[in-house]
Every structure is written in C-alpha cells, then in structure tokens.
Amino acid sequence: MLPTENRLRRREDFAIAVRRGRRAGRPLLVVHLRSGATDPHAPGESAPPTRAGFVVSKAVGGAVTRNQVKRRLRHLIRERLSELPPGSLVVVRALPGAGDADHAQLARDLDAALQRLLGGGAR
C-alpha cells in the first residue's frame, strides 16, 4: 500500500502533473512526471513528499483486472519513491495491454519510463 502522504488525490494535482510535467510512453503505460513541484496545499513545508496517482481506464479490462493493475503499480511506485526528487508529482496511466501483463513486464516498463524522465535514457 502507498502511504497516505504519497498519494495523489486532487484532480488539480493530476492535471498539473499531466499538463505541465514531462511524459514518457512505453507499450504498457505512460508516465507523467512534474519534478520538484511545491505543494500549494501544505504551507510551511520545505520539502513536500513525492506523490503518485494512477489512471486505469475500462480499456484495460473489467473491475477485477483494473484493480489488480492498480495494486501492482502502487507496489512498484512505492519501491521507487526514494529515486524521485522530493515534491515530484507522478501520474502513471495504464494502457490497454497492461491488463494482460505480469508484474515483471509492468516493472520493466515503469523503470524504463522513469529512467528516461530522470535523464538516464536517450530518446
């Protein structure tokens, strides 16, 4: 489970990450990253925590499949929070193929997308 302080919940925060952040697409998912964004909802905090949100549409599959994909993505992001800059907003959007993918395939795509967004990969 992703800790409460690391969850992206507000619609405005999702919109900021998607519209103003960088994007990296992979076959199973698209990752949007807004680096070092300050949290307008937490005044006085010097380094807000990294927060992540997930978008898994009905194109991925039925309710059971969508929830399974969300659980896997939450688990994967939780392990990678320390690699992201403090105050970052991350939105992970699952594509239709994510419902048929296993944990290792999702991890591989997520790692490749994050590496590209953090400057470790070429276009």
Side-chain angles (χ1 to χ4, degrees):
M1 183 60 81
L2 200 59
T4 304
E5 66 269 7
N6 295 118
R7 293 183 197 162
L8 200 58
R9 294 187 177 183
R10 293 187 173 95
R11 180 184 181 116
E12 310 88 55
D13 294 338
F14 274 88
I16 288 170
V18 171
R19 292 186 184 141
R20 297 186 187 157
R22 297 179 61 213
R23 180 183 70 212
R26 303 299 306 159
L28 300 176
L29 44 89
V30 176
V31 179
H32 299 268
L33 175 67
R34 170 98 169 136
S35 295
T38 58
D39 184 4
H41 308 292
E45 219 177 294
S46 60
T50 299
R51 295 181 297 148
F54 305 94
V55 178
V56 183
S57 73
K58 288 185 179 179
V60 172
V64 172
T65 303
R66 291 195 311 269
N67 284 325
Q68 184 180 36
V69 170
K70 279 187 274 189
R71 282 193 306 269
R72 287 178 177 170
L73 290 173
R74 274 196 304 263
H75 178 76
L76 291 168
I77 279 288
R78 186 184 67 201
E79 295 173 347
R80 290 153 179 83
L81 282 175
S82 61
E83 302 169 13
L84 300 170
S88 295
L89 301 178
V90 180
V91 174
V92 180
R93 183 167 46 96
L95 297 177
D100 300 325
D102 63 3
H103 189 79
Q105 292 170 319
L106 287 173
R108 193 170 30 255
D109 273 9
L110 181 61
D111 286 337
L114 287 175
Q115 183 179 11
R116 180 172 172 199
L117 288 171
L118 295 173
R123 286 186 168 223

